[in-house]
Amino acid sequence: MTGFHCSCCGRHHDELPFSYGTPAPAFWHEGLAADAGSALAAEQCVIGGEHFFVRARVVLPVVDADEDFEWGVWVSLSKAHFARASKLWVDPARVDEPPYFGWLSTELPVYEPTTLNLKTEVHSQPIGTRPTVELEPTDHPLAVEQRTGITLDRVRAIAELLLHPER
């Protein structure tokens, strides 16, 4: 899949993205950069020395394509789970860890109601691969899409919504 015709602007876009992500948890703001108890790195974030986040992936199967769609998200973990995940960050044995409970801390703009604070299980992956997020099996549209999959038409609709948010 190398592009799509956009129903919003009428143009052909050269690429149909199969992943989107955010650089920080929804609760991060630039004013925290000067706070000694806060830090934002590529894969982990701490806010005020008491809120702990890891970067992860919500994977949605695409039923009529050969690849999955991924949302790059942030998930909050308890202090103990964050410490454990950090300790095992470069340990190959991390894949044997049971999942960590967490709260989705990214607002994905194409879903109603909000995706903030959905219950999750965070599954460690091999070194070099971000953890995967398993959403609690609720009737939230994101959780339903994770369980049942999405179509290429939905991937295109997401691209259009994100390219043309004023629509």
Side-chain angles (χ1 to χ4, degrees), residues 50-167:
E50 58 187 61
H51 302 284
F52 306 91
F53 307 88
V54 294
R55 203 167 192 176
R57 302 171 297 131
V58 174
V59 179
L60 307 179
V62 181
V63 298
D64 53 350
D66 293 332
E67 66 181 298
D68 293 331
F69 181 89
E70 295 186 6
W71 287 110
V73 298
W74 291 83
V75 179
S76 68
L77 299 178
S78 69
K79 184 176 185 176
H81 284 156
F82 183 82
R84 178 77 178 159
S86 296
K87 179 181 176 188
L88 297 174
W89 203 255
V90 294
D91 185 339
R94 75 186 197 173
V95 296
D96 300 322
E97 280 290 288
Y100 305 123
F101 174 80
W103 298 97
L104 193 61
S105 299
T106 299
E107 184 153 12
L108 300 174
V110 301
Y111 294 97
E112 288 292 332
T114 183
T115 56
L116 278 178
N117 297 318
L118 292 176
K119 292 179 181 179
T120 70
E121 295 282 326
V122 178
H123 297 266
S124 297
Q125 299 297 307
I127 294 171
T129 303
R130 285 189 178 131
T132 57
V133 173
E134 179 183 359
L135 295 164
E136 179 183 46
T138 65
D139 62 353
H140 188 281
L142 179 60
V144 171
E145 287 182 344
Q146 187 176 51
R147 284 193 310 275
T148 63
I150 61 174
T151 63
L152 274 172
D153 284 341
R154 174 68 171 146
V155 175
R156 280 189 279 278
I158 290 169
E160 290 175 353
L161 287 166
L162 294 176
L163 284 169
H164 305 287
E166 67 282 352
R167 188 178 106 163

